[in-house]
């Protein structure tokens, strides 16, 4: 099983047809069919269900589709890292970031690092904390910015000088919009859109006791971006989020109202413990840790 065969297999998966894949790859259909048959014999399983009019993946085929992409990504990264060892620092840093004011902090660090190493590229992965943790654990990203709390047993962490206030986003015409703060009593009368993360939902219950009830929650979100539209449309009265997630995209007709008592969300820059990064990644981590960026 070599990378060329895996690329061929993924092309068939993408177009859903051996005939179309053969045209894209500029090889004959019989030759392509033979490659897939050889691959199936090598792996000892069927990859495609040919009993239907349309080609479809078997369960083994779905598994190989996922693993093949991971293998090809690793192959490409390994080649880049080997080029780095020749003394020419390049490659790609994959960094996840929650939607918060930490984005501005990260942008400054990207700019400073690129000034010193212009051949290094960044891949930014925007997600909530749960998805960033999963991406770290499965080696889909190298490092990430998370809101506290962070599992100290799993991740090395650097405290960041970034903190956001928790609050709610409401429409300008909402009675709450003119309030300097929003407390539990205020929120108890609103139809809420809340973060989906279980750890945050548990924390919300400790903040407001029983004032926020399940029947007043209309939706859960992983990122606030699209949820802002639902507040503008009147589907929900208030979106609970950190101030930075709204501040990086202030929306006309909406307003952020902080919680009272004040609740702060602090940030950490994390990586997996006992996991070696690329040369560029290790330099970036070291410079951030030593405040050299």
């Amino acid at each position: 099983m070599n990378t060329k065969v895996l690329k061929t297999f993924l092309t068939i998966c993408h177009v859903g047809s051996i005939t179309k894949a053969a045209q894209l790859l500029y090889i004959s259909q019989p030759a392509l069919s033979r490659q897939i048959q050889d691959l199936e014999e090598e792996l000892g399983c069927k990859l495609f269900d040919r009993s239907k009019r349309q080609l479809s993946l078997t369960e083994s085929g779905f598994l190989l589709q996922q693993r093949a992409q991971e293998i090809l990504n690793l192959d490409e990264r390994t080649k880049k890292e080997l080029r780095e060892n020749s003394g020419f620092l390049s490659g790609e840093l994959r960094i996840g970031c929650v939607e918060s004011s930490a984005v501005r902090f990260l942008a400054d660090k990207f700019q400073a690092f690129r000034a010193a190493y212009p051949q290094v590229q960044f891949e930014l992965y925007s997600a909530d904390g749960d998805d960033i943790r999963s991406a770290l654990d499965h080696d889909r990203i190298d490092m990430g910015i998370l809101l506290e709390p962070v599992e100290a047993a799993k991740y090395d962490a650097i405290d960041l000088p970034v903190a956001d206030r928790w609050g709610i986003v409401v429409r300008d015409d909402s009675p709450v919009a003119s309030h300097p703060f929003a407390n539990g009593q205020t929120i108890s009368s609103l139809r809420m859109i809340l973060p989906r993360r279980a750890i945050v939902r548990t924390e919300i219950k400790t903040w407001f006791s029983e004032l926020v009830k399940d029947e007043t929650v209309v939706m859960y979100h992983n990122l606030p971006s699209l949820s802002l539209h639902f507040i503008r449309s009147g589907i929900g009265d208030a979106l609970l989020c950190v101030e930075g997630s709204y501040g990086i995209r202030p929306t006309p007709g909406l307003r952020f109202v902080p919680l009272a008592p004040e609740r702060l969300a602090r940030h950490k820059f994390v990586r997996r413990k006992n996991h070696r990064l690329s040369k560029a990644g290790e330099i970036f981590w070291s410079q951030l840790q030593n405040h050299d960026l």
Side-chain angles (χ1 to χ4, degrees), residues 199-250:
I199 191 171
V200 175
R201 287 157 62 177
T202 300
E203 197 163 9
I204 290 169
K205 289 183 178 180
T206 66
W207 293 348
F208 304 125
S209 298
E210 300 301 320
L211 293 175
V212 178
K213 302 182 182 299
D214 289 341
E215 55 266 29
T216 64
V217 178
V218 297
M219 188 184 302
Y220 293 100
H221 69 83
N222 68 323
L223 295 175
S225 319
L226 297 180
S227 301
L228 294 173
H229 175 74
F230 290 95
I231 298 300
R232 289 188 65 186
S233 301
I235 295 174
D237 297 320
L239 166 69
L240 183 69
C241 63
V242 295
E243 187 171 14
S245 65
Y246 172 73
I248 59 177
R249 61 171 67 73

Side-chain angles (χ1 to χ4, degrees), residues 121-282:
Q121 297 176 324
F122 289 93
E123 177 184 317
L124 181 62
Y125 179 74
S126 178
D128 70 359
D130 286 348
D131 285 342
I132 289 175
R133 286 174 173 83
S134 176
L136 279 168
D137 294 344
H138 292 88
D139 199 32
R140 294 194 298 270
I141 60 175
D142 304 308
M143 295 165 275
I145 292 182
L146 297 173
L147 295 173
E148 291 184 333
V150 171
E151 299 93 322
K154 289 180 65 177
Y155 306 110
D156 292 323
I158 299 171
D159 293 323
L160 298 184
V162 182
D164 275 344
R165 295 184 297 178
W166 280 96
I168 59 173
V169 176
V170 297
R171 286 169 41 146
D172 279 344
D173 58 5
S174 167
V176 184
S178 60
H179 295 186
F181 300 99
N183 57 27
Q185 198 63 49
T186 303
I187 289 175
S188 66
S189 62
L190 302 176
R191 296 170 299 153
M192 297 293 299
I193 298 178
L194 301 179
R196 66 160 185 170
R197 291 186 60 209
I199 191 171
V200 175
R201 287 157 62 177
T202 300
E203 197 163 9
I204 290 169
K205 289 183 178 180
T206 66
W207 293 348
F208 304 125
S209 298
E210 300 301 320
L211 293 175
V212 178
K213 302 182 182 299
D214 289 341
E215 55 266 29
T216 64
V217 178
V218 297
M219 188 184 302
Y220 293 100
H221 69 83
N222 68 323
L223 295 175
S225 319
L226 297 180
S227 301
L228 294 173
H229 175 74
F230 290 95
I231 298 300
R232 289 188 65 186
S233 301
I235 295 174
D237 297 320
L239 166 69
L240 183 69
C241 63
V242 295
E243 187 171 14
S245 65
Y246 172 73
I248 59 177
R249 61 171 67 73
T251 304
L254 300 180
R255 181 167 301 181
F256 180 85
V257 181
L259 296 182
E262 185 178 68
R263 307 287 183 180
L264 289 180
R266 294 180 171 83
H267 298 72
K268 288 184 180 289
F269 194 73
V270 303
R271 61 183 286 186
R272 286 164 55 196
K273 281 187 177 293
N274 304 315
H275 180 72
R276 185 180 180 277
L277 302 174
S278 66
K279 186 175 181 180
E282 291 291 352

Side-chain angles (χ1 to χ4, degrees), residues 8 12 18-19 21-23 26-38 50:
T8 298
I12 298 172
I18 289 181
T19 301
Q23 293 171 350
Y26 299 102
I27 60 177
S28 68
Q29 181 177 338
L32 182 54
S33 297
R34 183 68 253 174
Q35 284 187 33
I36 297 303
Q37 289 171 11
D38 291 343
R50 299 171 176 81

